[in-house]
Amino acid sequence: MKTVIVGAVAAGMSAATRLRRLDEGHEIVVFEAGEHVSFANCGLPYYLGGVIDERASLLLQTPQSLRDRFNLDVRVNSRVVSIDPDACTVTVVSATHGQYVESYDHLVLAPGARPIAPQVPGAERALALRDVADVDRLDAAVSNATTAVVIGAGFVGLEVAENLHRRGMDVTIVELAPQVLSALDPEMAVRVHDRLEATGVRVLVNSQVTAISEAAVTVRAGGSTFEVPAQVVVAAIGVTPDAALATTAGIATGPRGAILVDDHLRTSVDRIYAVGDVAAKRDAFSDEPALIPLANLANRHGRRVADAIAGRRTPVPPSIGTAVVGVFGLTAAVTGRTERRLAAEGRAHRVIHAHPLDHAGYYPGASQMALKLLVDPQTDQILGAQGVGEAGVDKRIDVIATAMAGGLTASSLVDLELAYAPAYGSAKDPVNMLGYVADNGASGDTPTLQWHELARATDAPFVLDVRSHAEHARGTVEVEWQEPCVIPLDELRARHGELPRTGRIVVHCQVGQRGHSATRLLRQLGYDAVNLDGGWLTWRDGARSSLLHDENGSI
């Protein structure tokens, strides 16, 4: 039995090595169009910035090492240019052996995804970052430059921007959307925006590069056009599946050209499989094919396709989409749906914001994070979560992603028994706290209002700040129909008579916790009180994100 694999990075090499472990007698041939195999493509930005010192650290294997350990026939600089499904052959163009035909019993397509190039004059100057050859070109360009523009503010764009800045460059990010990191909701992403600018990276949102010249880019923002110095230009505006080989062979494709596969990673053509960024994933919420280009899925699906070829029929579960990025000491992570996407899909949802410390406040070094949980109001199903902070964010999002995979409800997060010591967490872990808030919402004990709902409220509710006067003076929720009113929580029982008896009262504190206590008190005293979810901190972040959305460029 012979399997041919196209692509020798994450998915392809995971498939090849797993298949060898399952079947010592299997003939396995791997074709790689480039020079390097099994390289650490996720580490490329960090080599560029000097975080990873040695280029050799990126090169995890070589064709020879793979032959020695796994008896794999890995051929680099060999591009598969066509497939003949009827004859079960592929045509290969090799830098050393010319053009020839290779037969297969099973064919695995794992060529990955290719960067999207900007469609503007001078686009040939824009560098991409997909493989080792790309990082070599970018490293050489940076060595003789002082200014750079990164087009795109997604995960890769932010990593590149940080590492160019680490090299001492003057960096500008240009993003067409009204926010950086569109995988997050705006009130969460604004913290990343602020960290970028506080560190010296210029961020232009609602902005579009319209041309690239020899030493600058032309940017259009609103009604104005201007130039930004750019001796180096990096395009990080997304990827598209490298599926041309499949489409010419008549293999069915779906979203944005991704190859359609079933739960065993089989394509529409017999004996041909597809894995990694070239293949569509099954969306856990819609059950529809989706493009989810993540390294962890590529490696996992490489293993699963080897199982399928070897006769171990283990279906691939749907994907929720879990990702994380670090930006100048800040961690941003996400799993599942965002509020924006749920709203676009018309799906009912309840939103929870919290701002806990990453570990016990009395233990030195605690830092505050922002967490967001999306919940189905009928079933209590967890629909998604986001986190931004300096420490502990990745752990909490991973816990929630695991809970989602296990089918736990939002309220059941209360009962998760998580590791605790003062240096690592709190007796009420931030994940448990989200569960408490979810349980209060599910029971109806504490109705909440979102930051963006307050400005649109048609009933002009009375807004009450239950923090101290000193906290209030440092910043408070502002509405156009009312002057601020402050009654600290500890005085509320004695002074509630100062509040209006008719109409809604929107209670807020700093993060929502005192607001919850005040809302419970007022509702039991007969007031129509609701808690402003996430308190002033969430409202502040939301207000700043709205300003970015409405204006052009940085604030």
Side-chain angles (χ1 to χ4, degrees):
M1 193 66 67
K2 177 180 180 180
T3 293
V4 168
I5 299 172
V6 181
V9 192
M13 291 316 305
S14 291
T17 53
R18 170 67 170 173
L19 188 55
R20 171 58 70 232
R21 293 185 183 101
L22 295 176
D23 187 349
E24 178 60 26
H26 206 103
E27 183 180 358
I28 304 170
V29 180
V30 184
F31 292 108
E32 170 55 45
E35 180 183 354
H36 303 97
V37 302
S38 195
F39 60 87
N41 50 354
C42 295
L44 297 177
Y46 301 100
Y47 169 68
L48 177 67
V51 178
I52 298 173
D53 291 330
E54 298 295 331
R55 181 178 179 276
S57 300
L58 301 172
L59 307 177
L60 307 179
Q61 297 284 352
T62 66
Q64 187 61 49
S65 69
L66 290 165
R67 178 176 290 279
D68 293 342
R69 180 166 296 182
F70 296 105
N71 192 26
L72 301 178
D73 182 359
V74 181
R75 307 176 194 178
V76 296
N77 298 313
S78 299
R79 181 177 298 277
V80 175
V81 295
S82 67
I83 305 169
D84 186 338
D86 296 326
C88 289
T89 62
V90 295
T91 300
V92 184
V93 175
S94 166
T96 55
H97 298 96
Q99 181 171 308
Y100 61 94
V101 173
E102 190 82 24
S103 65
Y104 65 82
D105 295 301
H106 299 285
L107 176 63
V108 178
L109 300 178
R114 51 187 172 80
I116 297 172
Q119 301 301 303
V120 299
E124 65 278 1
R125 271 202 64 224
L127 301 174
L129 191 59
R130 182 190 188 190
D131 55 29
V132 177
D134 287 339
V135 80
D136 287 342
R137 281 188 289 269
L138 187 49
D139 183 52
V142 169
S143 298
N144 300 304
T146 59
T147 60
V149 164
V150 178
I151 309 173
F155 290 98
V156 174
L158 296 187
E159 289 175 340
V160 170
E162 177 179 8
N163 282 285
L164 290 174
H165 181 273
R166 187 175 279 117
R167 290 282 293 267
M169 301 195 73
D170 182 1
V171 181
T172 299
I173 297 173
V174 181
E175 170 58 51
L176 183 61
Q179 66 173 74
V180 303
L181 213 56
S182 59
L184 272 63
D185 284 316
E187 78 280 13
M188 306 294 286
V190 73
R191 292 187 169 219
V192 179
H193 183 123
D194 289 348
R195 178 59 62 93
L196 286 162
E197 293 206 324
T199 316
V201 174
R202 184 184 183 191
V203 182
L204 303 175
V205 294
N206 291 313
S207 303
Q208 182 178 15
V209 171
T210 58
I212 303 173
S213 61
E214 186 175 346
V217 299
T218 303
V219 176
R220 183 171 61 234
S224 63
T225 300
F226 52 93
E227 285 196 342
V228 177
Q231 294 166 303
V232 173
V233 180
V234 181
I237 56 179
V239 296
T240 187
D242 195 357
L245 187 63
T247 56
T248 56
I251 297 172
T253 58
R256 293 166 61 184
I259 300 173
L260 294 175
V261 294
D262 65 10
D263 288 348
H264 297 285
L265 302 164
R266 296 173 295 199
T267 71
S268 61
V269 175
D270 190 36
R271 296 178 179 267
I272 302 180
Y273 301 77
V275 289
D277 292 353
V278 77
K281 315 300 187 292
R282 183 158 61 91
D283 186 284
F285 302 97
S286 69
D287 205 37
E288 295 293 325
L291 182 62
I292 308 175
L294 295 173
N296 51 8
L297 295 179
N299 281 280
R300 186 188 317 154
H301 292 176
R303 176 187 175 92
R304 291 302 182 209
V305 77
D307 288 349
I309 292 170
R312 300 188 177 192
R313 300 294 182 181
T314 305
V316 173
S319 173
I320 59 176
T322 304
V324 64
V325 66
V327 184
F328 291 110
L330 204 62
T331 299
V334 60
T335 187
R337 288 291 197 259
T338 62
E339 181 181 5
R340 178 175 54 246
R341 183 162 181 183
L342 290 170
E345 294 172 343
R347 179 162 185 172
H349 55 279
R350 183 166 58 243
V351 182
I352 296 166
H353 291 88
H355 299 271
L357 298 177
D358 71 298
H359 63 248
Y362 58 80
Y363 188 89
S367 64
Q368 191 173 54
M369 68 181 78
L371 293 176
K372 181 174 185 176
L373 191 71
L374 288 307
V375 182
D376 187 302
Q378 300 301 319
T379 66
D380 206 31
Q381 176 190 0
I382 303 171
L383 301 176
Q386 300 162 49
V388 180
E390 293 185 342
V393 167
D394 53 337
K395 176 167 72 171
R396 272 68 190 207
I397 296 301
D398 280 345
V399 169
I400 295 170
T402 304
M404 293 170 69
L408 300 184
T409 64
S411 297
S412 66
L413 296 178
V414 168
D415 296 315
L416 287 183
E417 189 174 337
L418 303 174
Y420 162 64
Y424 299 101
S426 300
K428 295 179 181 178
D429 189 85
V431 174
N432 298 135
M433 293 301 297
L434 289 172
Y436 290 129
V437 181
D439 186 55
N440 290 334
S443 65
D445 289 342
T446 307
T448 60
L449 188 74
Q450 293 304 310
W451 64 269
H452 53 79
E453 294 174 326
L454 180 59
R456 298 199 298 263
T458 58
D459 59 341
F462 188 84
V463 179
L464 172 65
D465 187 347
V466 296
R467 300 173 300 164
S468 69
H469 288 280
E471 290 174 290
H472 174 83
R474 291 193 288 269
T476 190
V477 173
E478 299 174 1
V479 292
E480 60 185 15
W481 59 80
Q482 176 198 329
E483 291 297 316
C485 175
V486 184
I487 301 179
L489 175 60
D490 293 347
E491 302 174 16
L492 190 55
R493 280 186 181 83
R495 296 178 56 190
H496 72 85
E498 301 173 25
L499 300 175
R501 271 291 177 181
T502 58
R504 274 196 308 171
I505 298 177
V506 176
V507 180
H508 84 84
C509 63
Q510 188 79 354
V511 300
Q513 190 169 0
R514 282 172 289 175
H516 163 63
S517 296
T519 300
R520 291 297 305 138
L521 171 61
L522 292 175
R523 290 184 71 82
Q524 293 178 80
L525 292 173
Y527 294 91
D528 181 12
V530 300
N531 188 21
L532 185 63
D533 181 58
W536 177 72
L537 286 184
T538 296
W539 180 89
R540 178 202 65 187
D541 292 343
R544 283 182 52 73
S545 70
S546 295
L547 181 61
L548 282 169
H549 187 281
D550 295 337
E551 293 187 354
N552 297 301
S554 58
I555 56 174

